[in-house]
Amino acid sequence: MASFSVKQCRNFVFISAFLVFPLLLVSCGGGAATQPTSPDPPSGGGTGTASVTISPIRAALTTGQSQTFAATVTGNSVTTVTWEVDSIPGGNASVGTVTAAGVYSPPSSAGSHTVAARSVADTTASASASVFITDLAGVFTYHNDLVRDGVNSQEYALNTSTVKAATFGKRFACAIDASAYAQPLWVANVAIGGGTHNVLIAATVHDTVYAFDADASPCQTYWSKSLLASGETWVGNTDVGGSLDLAPDIGIVGTPEIDPATKTIYVVSKSKNGAIIHQRLHALSLIDGSEKLSGPQEIAATFNGVSFSPLSQNQRAGLALLNGVVYIAWGSHGDIGTYYGWLVGYDAASLAQVSVFNDTPGAGFGGIWMAGGAPAIDSSNNLYVITGNGNFDGVTLFGDSFLKLSTPGLTVSGFFAPSDQATLDSGDIDFGSGGATILIDQPSGPVQRLAIGGGKEGTLFLLNRDSLGGNTNNDAGAVQTFSVGNRIFGTPAFWQNTLYIGPITDHVKSYTFNASTGQFSSSPASQSPSTFGFPGSTPSISSQGTSNGIVWATEKGTGPSVLHAYDATNLGTELWNSASSSADQAGQAVKFTVPTVANGKVYVGTAGEISVYGLAPN
């Protein structure tokens, strides 16, 4: 009996007493790819016991990516296979489809699936691979979102089972020309480089912006763009008075902001041409790095008779984009020179200036650093920052204050200043050394809308966003105050009613929020086994919704940056760290680095590379 080939069909056998051999009926559908079929033997022919292997055995994909799997059959003369997804021949729209060539295309929804190759000769022999799908569109801003909670809850590949030495480690690195203080940003499914790819954006203190393929190993650069004008170079720390806060080079420092709708990257550069210092707002094309909107825009501002100084002002905080306005904040380089806490808004479509605020006009100081943290924004479009040392009167002067500003006009609609503000100011104990985090709105409890932050005093202040509390004796205006043990130079993270924070020379700690009382536990629920030196850590969190939470934290020492992964439900359980193997060593550490987690990978900015960690493919 002649054999024949059926592609993407299911086979059914009809038994008849009048036929010498079974009659093969064909029902098309499903998508299984089969090889030539003969009636004897039923398993598909060939000799020997088949064994199947598949590569890769694990893969992380976005909904817009595909993955080609290869299968190898040994032990049998017939080496062909059929493919299936979650035991469905060929798969379907719900679980993803796989072709006869082993090319898997994921569904439009997130989740985990199993792709298997089955021997045609011996259908009992198969091998499978795990595929993890994310529908995360991107990490477009500092600490993941406008509330700055640091959470990617759409991460399926990295969980408490897969993040371990056997399956997780450094996959590759992308070289950069100088230190990356800015958090790397990530965009899914970009039409770039002749295809659709995930893109990683990095920025350095040499005023260079890079667009890398977020997945390609070895690293692939789509474009790099110098933001220096002709005859310019980046600024040196000696140019700004010798401060060692950022040294030796100063260029792009604050984390950029990406608008996915217009595919625009907003970023602030600092440069010099001889003795002339420039700060500029750039709007770059995500696709090729070109300047958009007739940019860049030279930054200049005046508020109550005070003029912006591009020399003394340090653009350290991350940028924020809200309702078509890009908001930019400034502190200083150390405490050198006359400086102020500036906050300026620019129209995202034209780069025209739309609003200006200065927190200490005339008096000086009050810088907005927040260890690189970006202004936080609540659901009512109010913007929150914490200021550093400076004079305070609660009217026009807001040194050492937690500020609520309405947008787009940037007028103060509420504030909180610790009762010992004068002591903080005189002792260089900046309230604004840490970032502001807006908590998820609580459905019940005494206060539904909360904000939290703290600084060098090592005290966290839990505040009512509807009434921040002003400046009262014994901080009576705060909902709660509690010590975390040491100074804060970072932004907390918040996930599943738990706050995670990494003070300097201390453990990364978690504090549980009690919805019924509206307050946090004053003692840590758990803490990391090891301590982090200066400047502590700003944690990031990955999870699959409400489960499989992992706390990611970078440690800065005198050598390479160290990436740590902890079980979010118990920080005492360390899942993995990059110091355990020389193969996992990151680049030279820089302070205030925030890890970015997306699509099964963790990206860490360092002094000379973006170190990329992820699952081992095999």
Side-chain angles (χ1 to χ4, degrees):
M1 181 176 178
S3 63
F4 62 95
S5 176
V6 179
K7 186 174 183 181
Q8 292 191 341
C9 297
R10 287 199 178 101
N11 305 322
F12 297 90
V13 177
F14 178 78
I15 306 297
S16 171
F18 298 98
L19 299 177
V20 177
F21 295 109
L23 176 64
L24 181 68
L25 300 182
V26 179
S27 173
C28 289
T34 70
Q35 300 299 319
T37 304
S38 59
D40 186 23
S43 61
T47 58
T49 302
S51 177
V52 184
T53 58
I54 190 172
S55 179
I57 61 173
R58 57 185 70 87
L61 304 174
T62 66
T63 54
Q65 290 181 294
S66 62
Q67 175 68 51
T68 300
F69 291 93
T72 303
V73 179
T74 57
N76 192 286
S77 58
V78 176
T79 59
T80 50
V81 299
T82 58
W83 292 91
E84 57 194 54
V85 185
D86 293 348
S87 300
I88 302 170
N92 59 33
S94 297
V95 300
T97 58
V98 62
T99 69
V103 179
Y104 173 76
S105 298
S108 59
S109 57
S112 302
H113 301 283
T114 300
V115 173
R118 189 172 301 278
S119 168
V120 168
D122 179 2
T123 57
T124 65
S126 66
S128 63
S130 297
V131 187
F132 307 96
I133 313 302
T134 182
D135 53 1
L136 179 70
V139 179
F140 306 120
T141 189
Y142 176 87
H143 227 210
N144 291 64
D145 50 38
L146 294 182
V147 301
R148 314 303 174 192
D149 60 17
V151 177
N152 169 14
S153 61
Q154 297 163 267
E155 177 54 55
Y156 286 79
L158 304 180
N159 56 57
T160 52
S161 297
T162 60
V163 178
K164 56 186 177 182
T167 54
F168 183 83
K170 189 176 183 181
R171 302 275 72 89
F172 62 96
C174 293
I176 54 179
D177 62 5
S179 294
Y181 288 93
Q183 179 180 347
L185 301 177
W186 180 90
V187 187
N189 307 324
V190 179
I192 192 173
T196 301
H197 305 275
N198 303 320
V199 174
L200 185 74
I201 299 297
T204 76
V205 293
H206 281 185
D207 285 316
T208 305
V209 180
Y210 295 86
F212 299 116
D213 189 301
D215 306 303
S217 177
C219 184
Q220 178 178 346
T221 304
Y222 290 119
W223 54 262
S224 62
K225 170 77 171 181
S226 173
L227 303 188
L228 298 171
S230 177
E232 292 183 356
T233 187
W234 51 88
V235 174
N237 69 308
T238 55
D239 296 315
V240 296
S243 170
L244 298 178
D245 177 49
L246 297 171
D249 304 325
I250 303 166
I252 301 168
V253 184
T255 298
E257 177 87 16
I258 298 176
D259 182 358
T262 62
K263 296 181 175 58
T264 305
I265 306 166
Y266 298 96
V267 58
V268 174
S269 65
K270 187 165 185 169
S271 59
K272 66 177 181 178
N273 190 338
I276 301 174
I277 305 295
H278 298 275
Q279 290 200 44
R280 300 185 179 100
L281 172 62
H282 302 257
L284 305 180
S285 165
L286 175 64
I287 307 305
D288 59 17
S290 59
E291 294 275 2
K292 301 175 68 174
L293 310 177
S294 301
Q297 174 72 263
E298 191 84 20
I299 291 174
T302 302
F303 186 86
N304 286 1
V306 178
S307 296
F308 177 87
S309 167
L311 172 65
S312 61
Q313 301 295 158
N314 175 16
Q315 205 291 290
R316 182 67 190 92
L319 276 60
L321 175 63
L322 174 66
N323 292 336
V325 178
V326 179
Y327 294 98
I328 310 168
W330 283 267
S332 69
H333 298 281
D335 280 319
I336 295 175
T338 301
Y339 67 88
Y340 303 85
W342 288 93
L343 191 60
V344 183
Y346 288 88
D347 188 300
S350 66
L351 302 187
Q353 190 175 103
V354 297
S355 53
V356 179
F357 173 73
N358 184 314
D359 61 30
T360 54
F365 303 97
I368 304 172
W369 299 280
M370 302 194 300
I377 299 169
D378 67 15
S379 58
S380 298
N381 298 327
N382 297 297
L383 186 149
Y384 299 80
V385 296
I386 312 178
T387 69
N389 298 335
N391 290 338
F392 171 84
D393 63 11
V395 180
T396 61
L397 305 178
F398 294 99
D400 293 298
S401 299
F402 198 122
L403 296 180
K404 174 181 178 180
L405 300 108
S406 59
T407 60
L410 294 179
T411 56
V412 176
S413 57
F415 72 89
F416 171 83
S419 57
D420 59 350
Q421 186 278 328
T423 300
L424 301 182
D425 180 26
S426 63
D428 189 27
I429 311 172
D430 300 79
F431 187 14
S433 68
T437 296
I438 307 304
L439 303 187
I440 298 173
D441 292 350
Q442 298 298 313
S444 60
V447 179
Q448 280 75 55
R449 288 167 292 278
L450 294 160
I452 193 166
K456 288 184 183 178
E457 198 171 21
T459 299
L460 280 175
F461 296 87
L462 182 64
L463 307 174
N464 181 348
R465 297 204 310 261
D466 295 329
S467 178
L468 285 182
N471 177 237
T472 58
N473 291 333
N474 300 317
D475 299 321
V479 174
Q480 182 188 12
T481 64
F482 61 100
S483 173
V484 297
N486 219 325
R487 293 183 292 170
I488 301 167
F489 284 89
T491 301
F494 187 73
W495 178 75
Q496 289 300 289
N497 275 345
T498 304
L499 186 86
Y500 302 87
I501 192 166
I504 70 168
T505 61
D506 208 338
H507 307 268
V508 177
K509 301 175 180 181
S510 68
Y511 293 86
T512 303
F513 182 76
N514 186 322
S516 62
T517 64
Q519 296 191 353
F520 283 92
S521 59
S522 57
S523 298
S526 66
Q527 61 183 28
S528 62
S530 58
T531 59
F532 290 59
F534 178 83
S537 187
T538 290
S540 294
I541 297 174
S542 64
S543 73
Q544 296 156 32
T546 61
S547 64
N548 274 302
I550 297 177
V551 175
W552 301 90
T554 54
E555 178 184 358
K556 180 187 180 298
T558 57
S561 181
V562 180
L563 176 65
H564 295 262
Y566 302 104
D567 186 331
T569 62
N570 180 8
L571 295 178
T573 301
E574 183 166 30
L575 304 171
W576 176 92
N577 72 67
S578 62
S580 298
S581 169
S582 59
D584 293 332
Q585 180 173 299
Q588 181 72 26
V590 298
K591 68 179 182 179
F592 304 144
T593 299
V594 181
T596 296
V597 189
N599 191 34
K601 294 184 177 64
V602 183
Y603 304 91
V604 179
T606 73
E609 68 178 41
I610 305 297
S611 302
V612 184
Y613 297 87
L615 296 181
N618 289 304

